[in-house]
């Protein structure tokens, strides 16, 4: 072992120590580059996933607001086009729920989705149908009572 590290001159000792340090530096730099690159790729994937979830959540909030506005506008004006708007945004909400379901399968989200569906069914059955039958005041009351559900979801 003594022969392995037995350098004849000071110059060889300094060069060998420098070479060993240079080798450690190169290995450490390579490892740092690899791990930073790996972390960056994982971060980009997470950001992309979070962006999809954020957009879908925002679309659900917009859908709830538009459906509430459509229901209120229908009660005020009686125009059937507001029912179409309500149904279009209901479908839009279901599409966004399907997107969210891929990324978030929590019980809390499932409860919110069920509450939103319950509110939509109440509007369909207890507001639009009652209004069409001629009882406008009862339809307004039913919509006012159901508004707390959509507020909870938004």
């Amino acid at each position: 072992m003594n022969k392995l590290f037995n350098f004849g001159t000071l110059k060889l000792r300094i060069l060998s120590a420098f070479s060993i340090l240079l080798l450690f530096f190169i290995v450490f730099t390579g490892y740092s580059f690899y791990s930073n690159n790996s972390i960056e790729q994982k971060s980009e994937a997470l950001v992309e996933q979070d962006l999809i979830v954020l957009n879908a959540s925002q679309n659900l909030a917009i859908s709830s607001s538009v459906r509430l506005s459509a229901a209120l506008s229908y009660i005020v004006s009686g125009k059937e086009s507001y029912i179409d708007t309500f149904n279009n945004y209901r479908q839009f909400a279901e599409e966004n729920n399907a997107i969210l379901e891929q990324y978030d399968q929590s019980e809390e989200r499932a409860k919110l989705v069920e509450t939103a569906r319950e509110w939509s069914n109440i509007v369909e059955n207890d507001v639009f149908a009652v209004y069409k039958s001629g009882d406008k005041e009862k339809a307004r009351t039913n919509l006012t009572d159901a508004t707390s559900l959509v507020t909870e979801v938004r």
Side-chain angles (χ1 to χ4, degrees):
M1 180 103 162
N2 216 6
K3 289 185 179 183
L4 182 64
F5 295 109
N6 189 7
F7 300 107
T9 66
L10 182 62
K11 180 180 176 182
L12 282 176
R13 289 181 187 175
I14 291 173
L15 281 176
S16 62
F18 180 74
S19 298
I20 291 171
L21 288 174
L22 185 62
L23 179 67
F24 281 138
F25 178 74
I26 290 171
V27 169
F28 180 73
T29 302
Y31 174 75
S32 295
F33 178 77
Y34 171 77
S35 63
N36 284 341
N37 193 26
S38 175
I39 289 171
E40 181 183 0
Q41 289 174 352
K42 289 176 184 177
S43 297
E44 285 176 0
L46 283 174
V47 166
E48 184 177 315
Q49 179 181 343
D50 286 347
L51 185 60
I52 291 170
V53 170
L54 179 65
N55 283 335
S57 297
Q58 183 179 14
N59 288 341
L60 283 174
I62 290 169
S63 172
S64 296
S65 296
V66 170
R67 286 184 289 158
L68 178 60
S69 296
L72 290 168
S73 297
Y74 176 71
I75 294 297
V76 170
S77 70
K79 293 182 181 178
E80 294 286 325
S81 63
Y82 291 116
I83 294 176
D84 294 337
T85 301
F86 181 89
N87 289 329
N88 289 339
Y89 275 89
R90 187 177 191 179
Q91 180 61 35
F92 182 64
E94 289 299 326
E95 291 167 3
N96 282 285
N97 280 330
I99 291 170
L100 280 175
E101 197 171 79
Q102 295 174 1
Y103 297 100
D104 182 11
Q105 297 176 353
S106 68
E107 187 176 317
E108 179 183 351
R109 193 197 66 76
K111 183 181 177 204
L112 288 174
V113 169
E114 188 58 38
T115 303
R117 287 179 179 147
E118 180 184 346
W119 176 78
S120 291
N121 290 334
I122 289 171
V123 171
E124 286 279 337
N125 300 325
D126 296 344
V127 177
F128 293 159
V130 171
Y131 188 90
K132 287 179 182 179
S133 70
D135 194 353
K136 296 177 182 179
E137 192 58 40
K138 180 70 173 165
R140 279 189 198 119
T141 304
N142 290 345
L143 183 59
T144 303
D145 293 344
T147 302
S148 64
L149 288 175
V150 79
T151 304
E152 181 181 319
V153 171
R154 286 189 293 168

